[in-house]
Amino acid sequence: MNIIKQLRQEKGVTQEELGKILNVQKATISKYETGRVMPDVPTILKMANFFNVSIYYLLGIPENNTHSHDLILSDKEREIIYKYRFLSPAAKGTVELILENQYENEKEEKSREKQAI
């Protein structure tokens, strides 16, 4: 069975519903599932995010043949990234500054804790 079809069925969505999520027609989903058409890169990325799988898995490439380490994100982390992508460039800059400051603070705190041991 095609990976896309399997994932879609496991998620409990129809071809039409997946098409709406990916902004393509139901017929296009059918073509993806039968292998007649290969999704473009943006669509592959959307599918990987929607199904919460790596692009390698989605493309049928064994994970042990890759040289990158895909991150497994929690639902909350995915939600944060999703919201971040809708921000204006100025708002993204603010979020990045806050995140960088918090990261540095945490890193320093852990370093102090390590030295105290």
Side-chain angles (χ1 to χ4, degrees), residues 68-89:
S68 67
H69 300 282
D70 287 336
L71 294 175
I72 304 298
L73 301 176
S74 69
D75 288 343
K76 184 63 177 175
E77 290 166 328
R78 291 168 56 109
E79 178 186 352
I80 289 167
I81 292 168
Y82 179 81
K83 289 177 180 178
Y84 173 84
R85 290 178 178 168
F86 280 95
L87 298 177
S88 69

Side-chain angles (χ1 to χ4, degrees), residues 90-115:
K92 285 180 180 178
T94 301
V95 169
E96 291 163 6
L97 283 172
I98 292 168
L99 182 60
E100 186 63 29
N101 285 335
Q102 189 62 38
Y103 172 77
E104 290 301 325
N105 290 342
E106 294 286 328
K107 202 163 88 173
E108 288 174 19
E109 180 64 30
K110 287 186 193 272
S111 178
R112 282 191 290 261
E113 288 173 1
K114 216 176 192 183
Q115 290 174 353

